[in-house]
């Protein structure tokens, strides 16, 4: 039982660690980045860099099957997909934070939880408003409070009004040390023209195969405007989170099956151990059984006595194994911090209790058969 609890608990911890990698981003999301062409197309040379624009975003909004869509512009990134750090100042305090310029649907792509105020909206984009949404660590750094709606800060020398504060579903502090601004405002404020560093969208409840078909339509739409071969593997780079999530699910299904089989094997080994112990116990007590029968003890009394002993031993030992296993998992959970590789080890107590019941029943059967055989032996032969 102890081994079963530990194996299942550690298996659960591995799964939680893997799933935490998808906690920050929507599992059904696809991220598309511009690349560099590797094939000539319609007279265009090889090695041409593909840079997305607002027009690409508008075209993708017409593609059927896309649920939520956002572009990303990283001010000061120099074309890098993740390089939007900008100096942020409030009074005499200055710190560098990650600044991401996005569309309203970005709220769904990274599971952003608005704790106060609101997120970027369509009016912000249309009017190029200088508004921003800050992570909790940003508010704490400058004001030591999250009650910051209506306050102002300077991002790269441009004043912005705070209209929202957000938390992150994954609880990752790195994902909270950032500021969101309307994409059109950022493009205007920091000479972004109409460039976008990435295009992100969710696919609803589509499966992997349906997502691939949708991605083919997206590539064709982007290729028509950017004039690159849709089959060019380097023209754009794609991160399909749904495909990665499905792969993780398959891997951990295999791991869970393996862990369950190992747990079952330990349980069977325990049952065999109990059966051997009861066989030895009955054999050692054959003379005692003969004396009890000679004194008039009925077979049922003899069988019942041995079965009670078997049930008591297996129940007590199973309970101790359960307590020790849960105690070890709790100790590991308190010592080892949760990370992207290993989460909190837990076990479904229902499974452990069922395993205990199986062990107790097996112990009862293990005691019954040798006891029943011994009860049928004549007192003279037994003694």
């Amino acid at each position: 039982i102890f081994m079963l609890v530990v194996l299942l608990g550690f298996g659960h911890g591995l799964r939680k660690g893997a799933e935490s990698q998808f906690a920050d981003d929507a599992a059904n999301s696809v991220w598309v980045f511009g690349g560099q062409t590797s094939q000539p197309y319609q007279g265009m040379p090889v090695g041409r860099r593909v840079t997305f624009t607002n027009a690409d975003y508008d075209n993708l909004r017409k593609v059927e099957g896309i649920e939520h869509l956002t572009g990303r512009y990283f001010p000061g990134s120099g074309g890098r997909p993740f390089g939007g750090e900008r100096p942020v100042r409030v009074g005499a305090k200055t710190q560098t934070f990650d600044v991401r310029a996005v569309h309203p649907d970005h709220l769904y792509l990274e599971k952003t939880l608005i704790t106060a105020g609101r997120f970027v909206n369509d009016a912000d984009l249309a009017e190029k408003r200088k508004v921003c949404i800050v992570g909790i660590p940003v508010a704490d750094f400058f004001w030591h409070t999250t009650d910051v709606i209506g306050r102002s800060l300077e991002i790269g020398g441009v004043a912005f009004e705070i209209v929202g504060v957000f938390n992150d579903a994954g609880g990752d502090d790195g994902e909270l040390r950032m500021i969101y601004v309307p994409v059109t405002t950022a493009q205007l404020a920091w000479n972004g023209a109409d460039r976008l560093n990435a295009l992100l969208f969710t696919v609803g409840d589509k499966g992997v195969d349906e997502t691939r078909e949708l991605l083919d339509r997206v590539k064709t739409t982007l290729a028509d405007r950017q004039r690159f071969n849709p089959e060019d593997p380097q023209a754009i780079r794609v991160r399909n989170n749904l495909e990665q999530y499905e792969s993780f699910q398959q891997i951990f299904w295999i791991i869970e099956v393996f862990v369950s089989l190992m747990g079952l094997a330990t349980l069977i080994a325990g049952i065999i151990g109990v059966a051997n112990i009861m066989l030895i116990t009955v054999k050692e007590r054959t003379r005692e059984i003969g004396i009890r029968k000679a004194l008039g003890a009925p077979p049922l009394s003899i069988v019942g006595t041995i079965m009670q002993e078997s049930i008591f031993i297996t129940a007590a030992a199973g309970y101790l194994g359960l307590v020790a296993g849960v105690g070890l998992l709790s100790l590991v959970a308190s010592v080892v911090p949760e990370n992207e590789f290993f989460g909190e080890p837990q076990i479904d107590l229902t499974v452990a209790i069922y395993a205990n019941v199986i062990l107790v029943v097996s112990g009862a059967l293990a005691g019954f058969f040798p006891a029943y055989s011994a009860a049928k032996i004549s007192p003279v032969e037994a003694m």
Side-chain angles (χ1 to χ4, degrees), residues 6-279:
V6 171
L7 281 170
L8 293 178
F10 276 56
H12 182 272
L14 287 171
R15 170 176 279 278
K16 291 289 288 183
E19 289 180 344
S20 70
Q21 298 181 41
F22 296 91
D24 293 328
D25 305 323
N28 65 338
S29 63
V30 177
W31 298 27
V32 184
F33 304 93
Q36 196 169 12
T37 60
S38 61
Q39 300 174 4
Y41 187 72
Q42 295 183 351
M44 304 298 290
V46 175
R48 181 170 53 90
R49 181 162 294 280
V50 176
T51 303
F52 299 139
T53 66
N54 293 337
D56 292 309
Y57 169 82
D58 294 333
N59 286 340
L60 288 191
R61 292 185 67 179
K62 303 171 186 175
V63 176
E64 185 178 354
I66 290 179
E67 182 186 31
H68 299 293
L69 172 68
T70 180
R72 267 193 189 178
Y73 169 63
F74 296 93
S77 67
R80 289 179 289 121
F82 301 102
E85 294 83 5
R86 302 290 290 182
V88 180
R89 185 170 70 87
V90 175
K93 272 189 174 183
T94 302
Q95 182 61 277
T96 299
F97 289 104
D98 188 4
V99 179
R100 295 184 179 178
V102 298
H103 292 87
D105 275 1
H106 195 281
L107 180 72
Y108 305 100
L109 268 296
E110 285 203 341
K111 297 183 180 179
T112 303
L113 306 177
I114 299 298
T115 58
R118 63 174 178 83
F119 196 63
V120 172
N121 60 32
D122 290 326
D124 295 331
L125 267 66
E127 300 176 17
K128 298 181 175 60
R129 295 173 179 171
K130 295 177 183 177
V131 296
C132 65
I133 297 85
V134 300
I136 292 175
V138 179
D140 285 340
F141 176 80
F142 288 117
W143 295 283
H144 305 292
T145 178
T146 57
D147 184 19
V148 296
I149 303 299
R151 302 195 187 196
S152 297
L153 48 74
E154 285 188 12
I155 305 174
V158 180
F160 283 79
E161 179 187 352
I162 299 174
V163 296
V165 179
F166 72 90
N167 201 347
D168 184 74
D172 184 357
D173 187 65
E175 291 291 328
L176 291 172
R177 296 179 61 82
M178 67 174 63
I179 302 172
Y180 289 117
V181 299
V183 64
T184 52
T185 307
Q187 290 169 337
L188 179 65
W190 296 301
N191 301 316
D194 63 346
R195 296 190 304 274
L196 296 173
N197 295 102
L199 292 164
L200 297 72
F201 58 88
T202 58
V203 298
D205 57 358
K206 291 180 176 58
V208 174
D209 292 336
E210 292 175 301
T211 301
R212 288 179 183 144
E213 292 176 4
L214 174 60
L215 189 53
D216 287 339
R217 297 200 299 272
V218 168
K219 287 180 179 178
T220 301
T221 301
L222 294 173
D224 287 344
R225 187 183 174 280
Q226 293 281 353
R227 295 177 65 187
F228 64 83
N229 187 346
E231 303 299 324
D232 189 340
Q234 297 183 27
I236 60 174
R237 293 175 290 115
V238 176
R239 190 177 97 182
N240 189 339
N241 281 339
L242 180 63
E243 202 168 51
Q244 294 180 17
Y245 184 73
E246 288 288 329
S247 298
F248 268 106
Q249 291 289 81
Q250 292 176 5
I251 291 170
F252 278 92
W253 179 82
I254 293 172
I255 291 176
E256 284 187 349
V257 170
F258 173 76
V259 168
S260 299
L261 290 175
M262 291 296 294
L264 182 61
T266 61
L267 191 60
I268 292 172
I271 292 170
I272 293 171
V274 170
N276 288 334
I277 289 170
M278 294 314 300
L279 283 170

Side-chain angles (χ1 to χ4, degrees), residues 282-296 302 374 376-383:
V282 171
K283 186 175 182 179
E284 289 178 343
R285 296 173 62 180
T286 302
R287 183 176 177 81
E288 174 196 332
I289 291 169
I291 294 173
R292 289 186 62 190
K293 289 194 71 176
L295 293 173
I302 295 170
K376 291 195 299 181
I377 301 174
S378 67
V380 175
E381 184 181 348
M383 292 186 289

